[in-house]
Amino acid sequence: MTIAVDRLSDPAVRRLLGAVNSGDRDAFFAALTEDATMADDGSERDLADWVDREIFSSHGHIEVQTEKAGGRALVADYRNDTWGEMRTAWRFTVAPDGRVSRFETGQA
């Protein structure tokens, strides 16, 4: 059973993933701090390049299966036009201003 994005516990994560599922690049970047960073499968990535390639140009969509750590640690089924569907793990760091400052993702 999936957890609807609008029901996730952490509001910052909720905004970020809502932007993913609605294909709203501007809202996605508004949900991040200006100096946000990310890693994919343990490797640091250029955030803007990765997001454009893995989410927005390839129609990424996330369906959350479980959440822990107050909604900042997720297991989700993620799919895009490039890779198809895969089980993924996501961890988020939220800055004091309520925006995501870092996320890490990879195969679960």
Side-chain angles (χ1 to χ4, degrees):
M1 186 164 128
T2 62
I3 302 169
V5 169
D6 64 352
R7 300 269 187 207
L8 293 172
S9 299
D10 189 278
V13 174
R14 203 167 45 234
R15 280 190 300 277
L16 192 71
L17 298 188
V20 169
N21 285 352
S22 65
D24 189 339
R25 187 180 188 280
D26 291 337
F28 183 88
F29 279 99
L32 295 172
T33 62
E34 290 80 15
D35 61 347
T37 61
M38 63 89 50
D40 182 9
D41 282 327
S43 296
E44 294 297 313
R45 304 289 185 192
D46 176 272
L47 189 140
D49 177 64
W50 188 90
V51 165
D52 285 337
R53 186 180 64 254
E54 300 292 338
I55 298 175
F56 295 107
S57 69
S58 61
H59 307 104
H61 187 84
I62 192 164
E63 291 185 6
V64 178
Q65 302 300 314
T66 64
E67 69 170 351
K68 294 182 180 176
R72 294 184 183 180
L74 310 176
V75 172
D77 291 332
Y78 184 77
R79 70 177 182 271
N80 66 25
D81 293 346
T82 303
W83 303 107
E85 187 168 317
M86 64 194 95
R87 182 65 49 113
T88 56
W90 299 76
R91 294 188 79 57
F92 300 90
T93 303
V94 177
D97 70 358
R99 294 183 295 160
V100 173
S101 61
R102 179 170 177 80
F103 67 90
E104 299 173 18
T105 187
Q107 298 279 336

